[in-house]
C-alpha cells in the first residue's frame, strides 16, 4: 500500500517569484509568511502599547521593555540582546537609554556593567499591555482552531528555523 502524495499547488504564495524556482521553493512561501507575520506583529505591538497608554514606543523598545520586565530580574544589555537574538547592540542600547529617559526602566551601574530593571511605571505599562493583549488577541485565539499544543509546536519550529537562518547568515558572511 503506497501513501498518496498530495499534488504540488499550482499557485505559490511568495513575495519574490525569482526566489521560488527550483528545489526548495517552499522556503519562499515560509519567508513570505514570516514577512507578513513580522509586519502584523510589529503593528500589533505598537497598537497594543498605544492602547495600554504609550503610543511613542517603537516595536524594538516594546520588546526590550517586556524583556527587561521578564521574571522581574535585572538584565544587562548583553542579556537582552542574547535573549532577543539581536546582533546590533547599539540599537538595543539606544532603546534602553530611551526607556530609562521615559522612566519605564531604571539603570544601575556596577563596575563596567549597567543593569536594567523595570520601574514601577514600566511594570504598570507592561501589565496594561497584558490586559489589552488578553482582550484583543488571546480572547479571539480559540476561533483559529489552533490548540495551545499546536502553538507550542509552531513556536519550536520557528526557533529551529531561526537557527537555520543564523547558520546561513554565518556562512554568507564568510563568502
Amino acid at each position: 500500500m503506497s501513501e498518496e502524495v498530495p499534488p504540488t499547488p499550482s499557485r505559490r504564495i511568495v513575495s519574490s517569484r525569482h526566489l521560488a524556482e527550483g528545489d526548495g521553493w517552499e522556503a519562499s512561501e515560509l519567508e513570505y509568511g514570516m514577512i507578513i507575520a513580522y509586519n502584523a506583529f510589529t503593528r500589533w505591538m505598537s497598537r497594543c502599547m498605544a492602547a495600554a497608554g504609550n503610543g511613542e514606543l517603537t516595536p524594538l523598545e516594546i520588546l526590550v521593555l517586556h524583556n527587561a520586565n521578564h521574571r522581574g530580574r535585572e538584565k544587562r544589555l548583553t542579556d537582552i540582546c542574547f535573549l532577543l537574538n539581536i546582533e546590533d547592540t547599539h540599537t538595543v542600547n539606544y532603546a534602553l537609554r530611551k526607556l530609562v529617559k521615559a522612566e519605564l526602566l531604571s539603570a544601575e551601574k556596577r563596575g563596567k556593567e549597567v543593569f536594567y530593571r523595570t520601574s514601577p511605571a514600566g511594570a504598570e505599562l507592561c501589565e496594561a499591555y497584558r490586559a489589552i493583549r488578553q482582550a484583543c488577541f488571546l480572547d479571539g485565539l480559540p476561533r483559529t482552531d489552533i490548540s495551545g499544543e499546536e502553538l507550542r509546536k509552531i513556536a519550536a519550529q520557528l526557533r529551529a528555523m531561526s537557527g537555520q537562518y543564523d547558520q546561513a547568515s554565518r556562512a554568507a558572511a564568510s563568502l
Side-chain angles (χ1 to χ4, degrees):
M1 204 170 20
S2 65
E3 289 185 31
E4 199 171 308
V5 177
T8 301
S10 60
R11 183 171 183 161
R12 298 173 182 180
I13 302 172
V14 299
S15 66
S16 302
R17 181 73 179 174
H18 65 281
L19 298 177
E21 299 297 330
D23 291 341
W25 68 266
E26 299 89 348
S28 292
E29 279 195 328
L30 172 68
E31 290 167 352
Y32 186 51
M34 289 191 308
I35 291 165
I36 291 170
Y38 169 78
N39 288 312
F41 182 61
T42 58
R43 184 173 43 253
W44 154 249
M45 284 190 302
S46 296
R47 291 183 181 161
C48 184
M49 188 56 81
N54 190 321
E56 302 299 315
L57 300 180
T58 66
L60 177 60
E61 292 158 358
I62 295 166
L63 290 173
V64 169
L65 176 63
H66 284 303
N67 189 268
N69 192 54
H70 178 61
R71 298 186 184 202
R73 297 182 188 149
E74 59 189 15
K75 309 219 176 34
R76 300 169 301 162
L77 168 67
T78 56
D79 300 326
I80 294 168
C81 289
F82 178 74
L83 290 168
L84 295 177
N85 196 23
I86 296 174
E87 195 174 88
D88 298 328
T89 58
H90 67 281
T91 60
V92 175
N93 194 37
Y94 180 77
L96 287 165
R97 287 197 315 260
K98 186 174 172 184
L99 291 166
V100 168
K101 185 177 180 182
E103 299 181 354
L104 297 173
L105 294 181
S106 61
E108 181 184 335
K109 188 166 182 158
R110 288 187 228 142
K112 293 182 179 182
E113 297 277 14
V114 179
F115 291 83
Y116 297 91
R117 178 179 291 282
T118 313
S119 69
E124 187 177 306
L125 184 59
C126 286
E127 188 54 37
Y129 182 102
R130 182 179 179 273
I132 300 294
R133 181 177 177 264
Q134 179 68 49
C136 294
F137 180 72
L138 294 180
D139 287 351
L141 205 51
R143 289 191 296 273
T144 66
D145 289 330
I146 301 172
S147 71
E149 186 57 33
E150 288 172 308
L151 284 175
R152 293 186 74 215
K153 287 179 183 176
I154 292 167
Q157 290 170 334
L158 286 171
R159 288 190 303 273
M161 289 305 299
S162 77
Q164 182 66 23
Y165 280 106
D166 280 341
Q167 179 60 34
S169 71
R170 284 189 290 277
S174 71
L175 296 179

